[in-house]
Amino acid sequence: MRSELRLDGVGRRYGIRGPWVLRGVDLAVPPGTLVRIEGTNGTGKSTLLRLLAGIDAPTEGRVTGRPRTACVPERFPPALPFTAAAYLTHLGTVHGLSRRAATRAAGQWLERLGAAGYAGTPLARLSKGNGQKVAVAQALLAEPELLVLDEAWTGLDTEAREELDRAVAERTAAGGAVVFVDHDPRRLAAAPDATYAVRDGGLHRRTARVPAPEGPRVVVRAHGPHGGAPPAEALRVTASAEEHRPGHYTLTVPASHSDVLLRTLLTAEPPWHVASVHAQEDLR
Amino acid sequence: MTALFRYQAALLLRSQRWLPPVVLYAAVLAVGVQGGQPVLDSLGWAAAVLLPVAAWLVRICVSGEPPAARGCVAAARGPARAHLACVLVALAAALVLGAAATVVVTLISAPAASDHTTRVPPLAAGASGLLAVLVCALLGAAVGALTSWPLLRSPGRAVPALLLATLLALVATGSPARAAVSGLVTGSRAGTVPLPLLPLGAAVLIAGAAFAAACRLSSRRSA
């Protein structure tokens, strides 16, 4: 049973008489949830993420139930005397992997993010985007139970952004929690389980369903055992599910979650049959 | 903890920032120690000079890791443990340096007291020198931990504080480092090999308290 990270009455200020950056924050991040944090610049989003990631301790209040955590910082410095692969292997072992598993995971993640060709390049010589890929890979390679992303998409190329979207979907599908900040309102727009806004030093849950600007979607036609409903995990990631004949479904899913949906359907007991997968026609 | 230690050690070694303190240590030893001098005197010098070197190494390890990279490690293992690994790697580096110096000094020095006639057994002298090195490395690391991030953040204050604290640790009455070093020097005059166990115990306590304070603060102070 994975623990739920809880913040109870948490406040944080820098210095003994500094102003409170955050105060009275109550937040629970149950396993398997995707949480979006919003707020304008300088409101304390990064401070909240540092508390969630365990990098900072709260000045007042309590943080309980810390799971295995990884974070992608806002600005990743290339000023480390390692090659990309060596750094990732070190971080993999720090995250608790064996040396061999860390080396393998480092290679896999660099490849997934399209930076396999830079494995042997010193970090100091990487471009900003490739440095950010290393920062993202560092957080993902040990499959953390809590992933904290502070504008992790910034600086990545389109393919790597989409790969990170899919990686986030994978983490939540595997029961991990993900907390993220991103200035693009379309980022994982259809997916968050909860959205909070940091405002005036406090945290406010956004309850009103603002019509989310829709990102690209994928339509999956699948049929299962006679008359059966799709597995619950599949329904969790779909935006809509339509049954047009008994057991025959048309499932619409955010593009970032299509792999998760297919994996869930194909590995269900008994497995579902996927009849077709295609990108949804232009929505406008 | 092993993985953290390896990561920090690799960071120190590959950054090559260890080079200046090591060169300084070698240079100061070359000036103060010559072949054929009384062994205990020379060992006292080797131990005393190690104290600022250890403090400097801690400063290098602590400030060598950019805050964002420190954040990645702190998220994985907790900021206190990440900081402890950092300080312990610097202490280990100082001990390796001090041990190597002790071996060389013991081999090239005359196994005699200050009067050049009373014999001092070289093996016992070397062991005593190692203990003094341990005391000075611990105290130097404590000074380094207390005068760098997270306790003192601006270099304008941290570096003078480090120099002043180093000086105090070497000359102030009651300092374990002073006790260990002067033990070697008076031992050399008397022709007896001291066993600085009391200073060692005090140094362990001081270093432990300093490390604990620094690690505790590492999650409470921003970069």
Side-chain angles (χ1 to χ4, degrees), chain A residues 54-100:
Chain A
I55 302 170
D56 281 357
T59 314
E60 63 174 24
R62 289 197 322 143
V63 178
T64 48
R66 158 120 351 251
R68 280 196 308 113
T69 308
C71 79
V72 180
E74 202 179 348
R75 284 181 295 267
F76 188 72
L80 288 167
F82 297 112
T83 63
Y87 174 70
L88 290 177
T89 306
H90 271 298
L91 265 281
T93 56
V94 167
H95 279 286
L97 297 181
S98 71
R99 238 186 132 59
R100 188 181 298 174

Side-chain angles (χ1 to χ4, degrees), chain B residues 25-100:
Chain B
Y25 189 53
V28 176
L29 279 191
V31 168
V33 175
Q34 262 134 41
Q37 285 176 340
V39 63
L40 290 175
D41 277 341
S42 296
L43 285 173
W45 179 251
V49 179
L50 188 64
L51 197 150
V53 170
W56 191 358
L57 282 168
V58 169
R59 184 162 176 80
I60 286 172
C61 279
V62 170
S63 58
E65 198 181 11
R70 185 163 55 215
C72 292
V73 174
R77 278 282 168 262
R81 246 181 291 179
H83 194 64
L84 182 64
C86 204
V87 176
L88 288 183
V89 161
L91 176 62
L95 285 177
V96 168
L97 206 56

